[in-house]
Amino acid sequence: FSVRWTGQIEAKYSEAYTFTMAGDDRIRLVIDGRTVIDRGFYSPNEISGTITLEAGRRYDIEVSVAEDFGGAGARLWWQSPS
C-alpha cells in the first residue's frame, strides 16, 4: 500500500531547516515542489535533508510512504539552529 499526506508548514525563522524521516519501505518528502528526501529502497535508518525556508511564509508539504512488505511506520520531524 502507499499513503500520501499533504498540507502546509510555516517557518518561524528564516534559516536552514533539517527534516528527518524514518519509515519503511519507500519514503519521500517534497516541500514547495522541491524534493528534500527521497529514499526508494528499504532501510530502517533515518534519512535527513535540508532546505532553507523564509519566516512567516507558508510552504506546501507532501509526505509519501509506500509499504512493500512487513511492518509499516512513518515519522517526520524537523529542526533549525534557532
Side-chain angles (χ1 to χ4, degrees):
F1 67 89
S2 63
V3 63
R4 180 181 306 156
W5 293 279
T6 60
Q8 291 188 324
I9 58 170
E10 184 176 329
K12 188 171 183 179
Y13 306 101
S14 293
E15 58 191 9
Y17 286 76
T18 300
F19 287 79
T20 304
M21 288 186 72
D24 95 351
D25 293 310
R26 292 172 279 145
I27 55 178
R28 181 179 170 112
L29 171 65
V30 177
I31 298 175
D32 199 33
R34 293 178 284 176
T35 300
V36 178
I37 295 172
D38 189 4
R39 189 187 71 202
F41 57 89
Y42 173 77
S43 175
N45 297 328
E46 300 167 356
I47 186 170
S48 297
T50 302
I51 186 171
T52 299
L53 303 177
E54 181 182 323
R57 179 175 168 209
R58 290 186 178 208
Y59 295 87
D60 290 329
I61 184 171
E62 179 181 304
V63 176
S64 302
V65 177
E67 175 60 31
D68 293 326
F69 58 90
R75 293 185 305 153
L76 169 68
W77 62 100
W78 56 92
Q79 63 185 25
S80 75
S82 297

